[in-house]
Amino acid sequence: MGTKKISSSLKSMLDVYQQPFVLVDSNFTIVASNKAYADQYNLTPDDIIGRKCHQVSHNSPKPCAEVGEDCPHRRMFKSGQVEEALHVHTRPDGTKDCVEIKAHPIRGDDGEILYMGEHLRPIETHDMLNKNDLVGSSEAFLDSVREAGILAPSNLPVLITGESGVGKEKFASYIHKRSLRSSGPFITLDCCGLNETLFESELFGHEAGSFTGAQKQKKGLFEVANGGTLFLDEIGEISLTLQAKLLRVIETGEYRRGGGNQTLKADVRIVSATNRDLHDMVEEESFRRDLYHRLAGHTVSLPPLRKRKTDIPQLICFFMQGMERKAAPAGETLRLLDQYNYPGNIRELKYIIELAALKAVDGYIYPEHLPDQLRNQRTKEEDYHASAKTPADAEADADSKPSQLRRRDDAAVLGTDTQQVLDTLHTCRGNRRAAARELGISERKMYRLLKRYEEMGINVPRPYQ
């Protein structure tokens, strides 16, 4: 098929697009370009027209597919459908940009595909947010960033809420860096798994000889963080006794090292985080109401990755910057990544991309490089019907039936929810309690569900470190 002449009116219409857009014929020749596309490569539209798309975007004399890259141009002309890809493009000065590509078929009156309409979405990974490791441009994500930005300059305590793996520590660091205490230290304490003695020693320190093995004085984190920010991660995991001691420090600003008599002043800002519902814990009397109001008066809620999937390409590009072995997802891989709901959130996505990049041999991640749970996803129609009931709903329904009917329905219930439960349990490192919270069911029901799995011969992950 020969290249047809592009009318001046069509060329002018391309500039309606604010993002880069170009028309490419079946021989990879650029026949029209808007100004935004030319600006992407520090050129003018006239400089681009007549050149091959791979020459402009990759400084390469060969098409992408011939050098081992995923080629949306070739796939689009073959399938006749919109094709997507994630590419790293090279500017004339050698600067590399990560871009999301959508290749649209442009047809003539007879239905024949005349051109590829290539729409680029530059993935910005060097802006102000990314310097703080906050990556994304979805509305749900930016709402959280705006809220954090409003609270950051004050000296008020902040509670960051969200599921495991959504980036709560990154947000705490972002708040610190934008605060009046930014020149001071940012100190983190993970409250999970600390007994009372260790927790007190970590927070308040101890004097030499205060207990067996305490050979020298140790400064606590309140002292180390003086003038800065103390980030208490998973604050919902500490006991009521420790909650009382923490409340006293927050209220009075005073504390003593273990075994010491000297009263010290705590000049720190408290930022805390939890993946639990502290309000429910207050009602259950497992979290002090007075401490809750001290910590949760100003809250930043972070969305799970499943509610900000438009950020996935940007997150992948950000991960790629820090990887020794770099590889970008091909079009079909991007679709699988977009369909998955990520019980482990951003942390899980990062693990998936890093592992897949190690398996990639030609610089591109294909579906076979992904974990089983992504490659074996159900169809969207099946997901729609499955999502009509949560694991908690399924359990409640099962509990309301006679035992013989429960056994009869086991297969249906397990077929709907098993993979989600097992994925969540794996993400929570086998911790039944944490997995139950993630799934929105009681711990008792979690144990009963897992027992039913084992009775049916399903391998259930055990707790591990």
Side-chain angles (χ1 to χ4, degrees):
M1 181 189 72
T3 300
K4 297 187 178 181
K5 187 175 181 181
I6 303 296
S7 66
S8 58
S9 59
L10 179 56
K11 290 181 181 179
S12 64
M13 285 178 64
L14 298 185
D15 281 321
V16 172
Y17 289 95
Q18 294 184 346
Q19 290 188 322
F21 193 90
V22 68
L23 290 181
V24 184
D25 70 12
S26 60
N27 295 315
F28 304 100
T29 302
I30 297 174
V31 298
S33 167
N34 69 354
K35 186 175 184 301
Y37 189 95
D39 288 345
Q40 178 78 9
Y41 303 101
N42 300 318
L43 300 169
T44 68
D46 288 340
D47 294 327
I48 289 176
I49 293 173
R51 297 180 64 189
K52 302 294 186 181
C53 57
H54 46 84
Q55 291 175 333
V56 174
S57 62
H58 288 78
N59 283 338
S60 171
K62 295 182 179 181
C64 300
E66 293 182 20
V67 292
E69 291 191 285
D70 181 37
C71 182
H73 175 284
R74 181 167 293 183
R75 283 195 283 111
M76 188 280 299
F77 270 98
K78 183 177 181 179
S79 70
Q81 299 177 347
V82 176
E83 298 289 348
E84 301 178 27
L86 207 60
H87 271 197
V88 176
H89 283 182
T90 305
R91 299 190 187 194
D93 64 0
T95 303
K96 295 188 180 298
D97 296 304
C98 195
V99 295
E100 184 180 27
I101 299 172
K102 285 193 176 180
H104 303 264
I106 308 298
R107 300 178 184 274
D109 293 338
D110 58 359
E112 181 187 11
I113 298 176
L114 301 178
Y115 308 109
M116 172 186 73
E118 183 178 82
H119 173 256
L120 298 187
R121 184 171 79 91
I123 305 296
E124 301 293 340
T125 51
H126 299 287
D127 59 17
M128 184 60 190
L129 291 180
N130 300 146
K131 292 176 182 177
N132 297 275
D133 290 352
L134 297 187
V135 180
S137 55
S138 65
E139 200 57 39
F141 170 75
L142 292 180
D143 281 346
S144 299
V145 174
R146 283 190 283 267
E147 189 65 28
I150 291 171
L151 295 172
S154 72
N155 205 35
L156 298 168
V158 176
L159 175 66
I160 303 173
T161 64
E163 298 175 6
S164 294
V166 294
K168 294 188 285 292
E169 185 172 350
K170 302 295 186 185
F171 263 80
S173 177
Y174 177 74
I175 289 171
H176 170 72
K177 290 176 181 178
R178 293 174 66 89
S179 74
L180 299 176
R181 296 172 172 267
S182 58
S183 60
F186 175 76
I187 305 297
T188 296
L189 175 63
D190 184 350
C191 300
C192 286
L194 295 180
N195 60 38
E196 293 190 7
T197 301
L198 185 56
F199 185 84
E200 286 189 66
S201 177
E202 287 293 315
L203 275 187
F204 310 130
H206 58 254
E207 299 291 352
S210 59
F211 58 87
T212 303
Q215 299 180 357
K216 59 182 180 179
Q217 184 192 78
K218 175 186 175 181
K219 291 183 178 181
L221 297 185
F222 270 110
E223 196 169 352
V224 175
N226 189 61
T229 301
L230 178 57
F231 174 54
L232 301 177
D233 197 10
E234 300 306 343
I235 190 69
E237 302 300 322
I238 65 174
S239 68
L240 287 168
T241 302
L242 294 175
Q243 290 174 32
K245 294 181 178 181
L246 179 60
L247 176 65
R248 184 181 181 280
V249 180
I250 293 174
E251 288 184 330
T252 66
E254 297 180 346
Y255 67 99
R256 293 176 182 173
R257 296 193 195 102
N261 297 316
Q262 181 183 4
T263 299
L264 303 174
K265 295 290 290 185
D267 176 23
V268 300
R269 181 187 191 179
I270 300 292
V271 176
S272 52
T274 182
N275 64 6
R276 305 183 67 179
D277 190 327
L278 292 190
H279 184 268
D280 282 355
M281 293 180 66
V282 169
E283 297 303 314
E284 296 168 358
E285 299 185 351
S286 59
F287 200 88
R288 292 181 63 106
R289 187 177 299 274
D290 43 9
L291 179 59
Y292 171 76
H293 289 301
R294 280 283 184 177
L295 297 175
H298 309 281
T299 302
V300 177
S301 298
L302 306 188
L305 184 54
R306 63 182 175 275
K307 293 186 177 179
R308 46 173 294 210
K309 287 188 176 180
T310 55
D311 292 334
I312 288 176
Q314 194 167 352
L315 286 162
I316 292 173
C317 288
F318 182 74
F319 299 150
M320 285 169 58
Q321 290 179 9
M323 295 191 310
E324 257 183 58
R325 185 166 185 174
K326 296 176 172 33
E332 179 60 27
T333 308
L334 280 175
R335 280 190 284 277
L336 290 173
L337 290 168
D338 185 66
Q339 291 169 10
Y340 186 57
N341 276 334
Y342 301 96
N345 291 293
I346 298 172
R347 185 185 297 128
E348 184 179 12
L349 174 63
K350 185 173 187 288
Y351 167 78
I352 289 170
I353 296 301
E354 288 177 340
L355 183 60
L358 292 176
K359 298 177 180 179
V361 294
D362 60 359
Y364 270 80
I365 297 171
Y366 297 106
E368 59 265 28
H369 301 141
L370 297 177
D372 290 346
Q373 65 266 29
L374 274 83
R375 289 188 286 109
N376 300 331
Q377 291 179 84
R378 293 167 295 190
T379 66
K380 290 187 176 180
E381 182 179 359
E382 289 172 328
D383 282 338
Y384 172 81
H385 291 299
S387 65
K389 287 188 177 183
T390 64
D393 292 331
E395 273 293 284
D397 288 350
D399 287 345
S400 68
K401 295 180 181 180
S403 60
Q404 66 270 26
L405 292 182
R406 279 209 310 272
R407 288 193 294 271
R408 189 181 303 163
D409 287 347
D410 269 346
V413 172
L414 296 175
T416 300
D417 301 316
T418 302
Q419 194 59 54
Q420 181 185 1
V421 172
L422 295 179
D423 286 348
T424 304
L425 193 61
H426 176 72
T427 301
C428 295
R429 308 182 73 81
N431 187 308
R432 270 68 169 154
R433 181 180 180 186
R437 287 200 304 269
E438 293 289 331
L439 291 164
I441 62 176
S442 69
E443 192 172 354
R444 180 177 65 87
K445 286 187 177 181
M446 168 61 86
Y447 275 94
R448 291 176 60 189
L449 188 60
L450 297 182
K451 182 179 179 182
R452 195 176 304 168
Y453 289 169
E454 291 177 337
E455 288 172 350
M456 298 183 71
I458 296 174
N459 186 29
V460 175
R462 301 297 177 187
Y464 60 94
Q465 296 298 322

